[in-house]
Amino acid sequence: MTTPVLDVRSLDTVIHAPDGRRLHILHDVSLHIDAGECLGVVGESGSGKSVLARTVLGVHARTTRAESTGQVLLNGEDLLAAAPARRADLLGTGIAMVHQDPMTSLNPVVRIADQVTESLTNRRRLPRRERLRTAAELLAAVDVPDPVRRARAYPHELSGGLRQRVGIAAALAGDPVLLLADEPTTALDVTVQRTVLDLLDRHRATRGLATLLITHDIGLLYGRARRIAVMYGGRVVESGPTEQVTERPAHPYTAALLRSVPRVTGPLRRVLPAIPGSPPDLSRPLTGCPFAPRCDRAEAVCATVAPPVHRAGPAHTASCHFPLAAEAPRPSQTSLERTP
Amino acid sequence: MSATPADPARSPADPARSPAVLRATGLEVVHRTRSGPLHAVSGVDLTLHERRTLALVGESGSGKSSIAKALLRLPAPTAGTVTLDDTDLSALTSRQLRALRPRLQMVFQDPLSSLNPRRTVRDLVAEPLDAHPGLLRGRDRLAVADEQLTAVGLPPELFGDRRPEQLSGGQAQRVAVARALAAEPRVLIADEAVSALDVSAQATVLNLLRRLTEERGLASLFITHDLGVVRAVSDDIAVLQLGRLCERGPTEAVLAAPAHPYTAALLAAVPEPGRPLGDTGLLPADPPSPLDPPSGCRFRTRCPLADDRCAAETPAARPVGPGRTVACHRPLLPVLDRAGFGSAPVPAQRP
Ligand SMILES: Nc1ncnc2c1ncn2[C@@H]1O[C@H](COP(=O)(O)OP(=O)(O)OP(=O)(O)O)[C@@H](O)[C@H]1O
Ligand SMILES: Nc1ncnc2c1ncn2[C@@H]1O[C@H](COP(=O)(O)OP(=O)(O)OP(=O)(O)O)[C@@H](O)[C@H]1O
Ligand code: SF4
Ligand code: SF4
Ligand SMILES: [Mg+2]
Ligand SMILES: [Mg+2]
């Protein structure tokens, strides 16, 4: 068996809020990504997807005090246990991040060339001319048209799609082994979204890049991520091959999530099926299933006993006392026939 | 003129009878950049009606946010007029404009940068009420804030005392929505207001907006790139392509049979669970730079139907159905003459 590029084992993360409260954000999160593989992470807003990415990267918001236990293995080496210097080294060369809105990660008053090559100039000084040339090459590799001119531009002079390509170019500059993409295409229209995701797929395949793709849009993982992890209340509640999880969800939360997707095909729904209730209070200890107050299958045991891991299929698991049976696949809308 | 008369719960107000609240004509927005003037918005007309939601879709950089900000004069458009209930906003002093502000609320695209990091969530939501205490009508400002937070699915006892930095992306977005709604606006401009939400939270916010549109007669402009969301939330749709409107009409009619090749490509590219990725049919070119748009039709570098005429002439908007227009030389639907009969042949091929 090969060592996964990223292997997260029983990760727990606690954030100490400034008001003294202790927020237990991640609970026993385990997941792994092999070289060249894309793992999709979906889930409730506030379920800990971004905190997971930030914990792997070891960066939290300025005022945040976070503590993690468990293991975050990058090519077998534990980032949480590594000495600070070694850790900085591993992170600097191994992991890169692409953010949702490149405008917030790009500096508005710094030329594109300097931002794209930032991870390189951290390691060695590049003369200005060479920096421009390298930046143009990096931009060309992510299909930015007219890369020489774009290298001299400032972020606001580019469209959102191009800015996201710049963000990806900057992330790929250091030749990482793991790419963390947190909602990378949320701000883009679907035609541009597709070209950006295709670009990520291409670099994943040619460089063997392991990719963690966080999204709220389950649909876009279809045909891209081999596996999906569904998060709720800081836990991975279901994981498995993309087709199985989306077509035969075993966890009631996943099933409810799929029902809420607003669709362009099928009957028009003016009132969307939202999941009633709100997510768990992370500052309180929780014994049973985090989804229990909102679950339509919940029984008394759910509120008191932590749900067992149910095997729904090969490599497909769900943490639930009463998982959905896997009999008939859900009717899926296959094609969209529109004749003019 | 609703496209779906069969569904009475759906389209509440006939645009012909529902009063226009906000009207923009001949909107132009030119940004100054180091590389010269950038025409972000060219000759756009929009009307927001009471009890109706207009969805504005279009690719990144097509000028959606520029339009939204121009409507609120943040900053003012380079040319064109915007009227609110027949008052020309450009004729108002900044003081008069400020007095109107609560009636015109906007949810900005990037919620974190529009929320003051030093204030608590509860305070941020109550803030628009401080400037306009009349809105309180005797209620406690923090109670009003809590009510709004609950409505967007954020329990105030968990989130009220937090600061923006302690929120997830979707939580910050909902604080921005709650804040805009606290002012009880007459017009709501929501720029990608649900784009970072999981689908269930998205459903909560969309259902809320739908309800307010009906109960309070809210007129909304809803900017999004998600056509599933467009379908659930809007009555009408306007599709923007490099600063120009290329197609508009009742949402259901447009999504059921788009007339513009760009709208058709957008629909084909929508990822949905259980649906294989369709072919957009677009030519493999990146969207052109808005600093240097193509001549004629601005979509022609990516359009599979483009011919010589598309490079030479800018297509004008022509009617293709009840309340529908398209700006294309070779639309996917026949163009109607004044009497409402089809006159142009349907092109043999579609993208
Ligand atoms: N610095 C912080 N201080 C306190 N709480 C925090 C902090 N950062 C995140 N949280 C909380 O931790 C939880 C997880 O946040 P996270 O940003 O990981 O959610 P997410 O799954 O990425 O959600 P979204 O889809 O909305 O982006 C949320 O409830 C959030 O409010
Ligand atoms: N302040 C500014 N200065 C210079 N150019 C700008 C400015 N704001 C926007 N632009 C440019 O104007 C064009 C339209 O931008 P706008 O933000 O309106 O597009 P958008 O449709 O909202 O895109 P997105 O979907 O990415 O938010 C883009 O090319 C953008 O780069
Ligand atoms: S364990 Fe119980 S409450 Fe939790 S998801 Fe399963 S059925 Fe629902
Ligand atoms: S005018 Fe021509 S290039 Fe433009 S959308 Fe129509 S067919 Fe395509
Ligand atoms: Mg997040
Ligand atoms: Mg915008």
Side-chain angles (χ1 to χ4, degrees), chain A residues 15 17-18 23 25 43-52 54 61 64 182-183 282, chain B residues 159 162 165-171 196 198:
Chain A
I15 287 181
L23 301 170
I25 312 271
E44 179 90 6
S45 171
S47 61
K49 305 181 292 295
S50 299
V51 168
L52 170 64
R54 290 203 287 266
T64 304
D182 194 352
E183 307 264 10
L282 301 169
Chain B
F159 292 97
R162 294 211 195 171
E165 203 174 60
Q166 300 166 341
L167 300 172
S168 78
Q171 289 161 352
D198 72 86

Side-chain angles (χ1 to χ4, degrees), chain B residues 193-276:
Chain B
V194 298
S195 61
L197 295 179
D198 72 86
V199 286
S200 164
Q202 205 173 60
T204 305
V205 172
L206 295 179
N207 291 344
L208 172 69
L209 292 180
R210 194 75 224 155
R211 208 183 71 225
L212 294 179
T213 304
E214 267 142 46
E215 289 175 5
R216 291 196 201 153
L218 196 65
S220 315
L221 180 70
F222 199 91
I223 297 176
T224 175
H225 61 269
D226 185 330
L227 292 181
V229 168
V230 165
R231 192 163 175 236
V233 81
S234 72
D235 304 286
D236 306 293
I237 184 173
V239 185
L240 196 66
Q241 215 273 317
L242 272 187
R244 287 196 195 134
L245 287 181
C246 65
E247 173 157 19
R248 66 200 305 170
T251 304
E252 273 303 276
V254 172
L255 295 186
H260 196 280
Y262 174 62
T263 318
L266 274 182
L267 259 173
V270 173
E272 275 190 5
R275 194 178 113 178

